[in-house]
Amino acid sequence: MKIANRMNMLGTETAFEVLARANQLAAEGRSVINLGIGQPDFATPEHIVEAAVKALKDGHHGYTPANGIPELREAVAEDIQVYRGVSVNPDNIVIVPGGKPTMFFACLLFGEAGAEIMYPDPGFPIYESAIRFSGATPVPIDLHEKNGFSFSAEEVLAKISDKTRLIILNSPANPTGGIIQKDEIDKLVAGLADHPEVAIMSDEIYSRMVYDNQPHVSLFGYEEIRDRLIVLDGWSKTYAMTGWRLGYAVWPEALVEHVTRLCVNDHSCVNAPTQWAGIAALKGPQDMVDEMMRAFDERREIILRELNDIPGFSCVRPGGAFYAFPNITGTRHSAQALQEKILSETGVAAIAGTSFGANGEGYLRFSYANSVDNILEAMSRVRNLLSN
Ligand SMILES: Cc1ncc(COP(=O)(O)O)c(C=O)c1O
């Protein structure tokens, strides 16, 4: 068989490989604690599950419009009004199976040989993978630990060239838990006035997962870039629905038809019962989201304290999501070597920072979407390993 060359350009999300490895060790009888995978350890709330069951019983078995059922797109528009205070047209919303398709489609829409797309490094690995696959050149936006893993607007603006088509932003961020500060976004948006042809994709999938009563700064707040802004969000994290595959993005008028055509070609539509479940999630009680966030906040304090007590580790305070990204340079191991060592010798799964870009060298990502007991046990195993 002769496989297309572009397949060599496609990267991966190492968390899935580490998950497979951890499951294999567990199957061999090892005690494994998985702090590698980025998904809430909570069940989807009952009323959401019930809504999907009801939709099936009510006969929602067929195709839906490719961009999603109108009731769901209207519910999303209302949700955006409530949580971000802006009014969006439901016709600009496209429902997709999860957060990932939006980033893939955005890269296919803008990327080709000769084009450049900017992405955060360290950042969600699928950005760089999708950019390369599209044929475009990935241009990293360096995130700095000293700034709480935010970027410097000046540095971003300085890297824009006449080939730049799209800038990808993500706050709160995976893998760092970092938050981009409002003044930095203000500066970036002001500078983008000189580059009216550059589009922005803001991945706001962790928008409801911000700690310390900080407001989430959405790119929706900047009217002047609305005609070239894509905002990605979804249900996976907020409602503990990673396996349901449901996400959305709000697209500028000029792109809606293109992305809908990508949906028709790719997956036709998201399965109907999941879309009805999505409405129940947005319109139903939100107390489970608050409860989950209280649990994550408690675990954040615990993992932060524990990580900073491990020889050779130092960890800045994550402001959002459910990841801690300690600096491990004091251990004198590379990120990859330490990921391997910790998994094989203690059964604790974490992800090497280099899985999120070259700037991730010297870091490990721990997800604290796990029980307090498991977090404490995992930290104790790693501390013992590195104390000897
Ligand atoms: C920043 C970011 N965006 C998007 C996604 C993808 O979410 P989904 O599972 O809904 O495709 C993730 C998942 O980890 C993520 O961390």
Side-chain angles (χ1 to χ4, degrees), residues 39-40 98-99 205 234-243 245-247:
Q39 68 178 339
I205 202 148
W235 285 255
S236 296
K237 316 288 174 171
T238 311
Y239 298 102
M241 291 177 72
T242 49
R245 310 314 299 142
L246 186 62

Side-chain angles (χ1 to χ4, degrees), residues 265-305:
N265 277 270
D266 181 66
H267 55 267
S268 296
C269 62
V270 172
N271 76 77
T274 289
Q275 295 192 51
W276 288 99
I279 297 174
L282 298 180
K283 292 192 157 185
Q286 301 294 304
D287 40 333
M288 175 266 171
V289 180
D290 299 336
E291 208 177 290
M292 193 167 72
M293 282 311 291
R294 273 196 295 276
F296 286 154
D297 199 7
E298 184 197 352
R299 298 164 187 187
R300 178 178 69 130
E301 297 300 338
I302 291 168
I303 201 164
L304 193 62
R305 185 191 69 211

Side-chain angles (χ1 to χ4, degrees), residues 350-362:
I351 313 282
T354 40
S355 299
F356 305 95
N359 287 336
E361 185 53 275

Side-chain angles (χ1 to χ4, degrees), residues 158-226:
K159 282 190 175 182
I160 295 179
S161 76
D162 56 1
K163 297 182 184 134
T164 309
R165 302 256 181 104
L166 177 70
I167 298 177
I168 300 176
L169 303 174
N170 171 220
S171 177
N174 180 4
T176 63
I179 305 260
I180 307 175
Q181 295 305 318
K182 183 171 181 309
D183 55 346
E184 225 45 54
I185 303 181
D186 289 349
K187 277 190 241 166
L188 179 67
V189 172
L192 284 173
D194 296 334
H195 306 280
E197 69 294 348
V198 174
I200 303 102
M201 187 190 84
S202 178
D203 181 344
E204 302 189 0
I205 202 148
Y206 297 104
S207 64
R208 296 274 299 275
M209 300 190 155
V210 183
Y211 303 103
D212 305 320
N213 298 318
Q214 294 283 324
H216 170 247
V217 183
S218 171
L219 269 284
F220 271 133
Y222 299 84
E223 185 62 46
E224 60 272 47
I225 54 166
R226 194 74 73 74

Side-chain angles (χ1 to χ4, degrees), residues 331-380:
T331 66
R332 300 180 187 280
H333 292 290
S334 72
Q336 186 62 37
L338 195 58
Q339 171 194 299
E340 267 307 307
K341 187 175 169 67
I342 288 178
L343 182 57
S344 59
E345 295 183 35
T346 75
V348 173
I351 313 282
T354 40
S355 299
F356 305 95
N359 287 336
E361 185 53 275
Y363 298 90
L364 280 186
R365 188 192 80 174
F366 289 85
S367 159
Y368 48 89
N370 211 317
S371 70
V372 170
D373 285 351
N374 278 347
I375 291 170
L376 287 172
E377 171 64 19
M379 293 297 107
S380 150

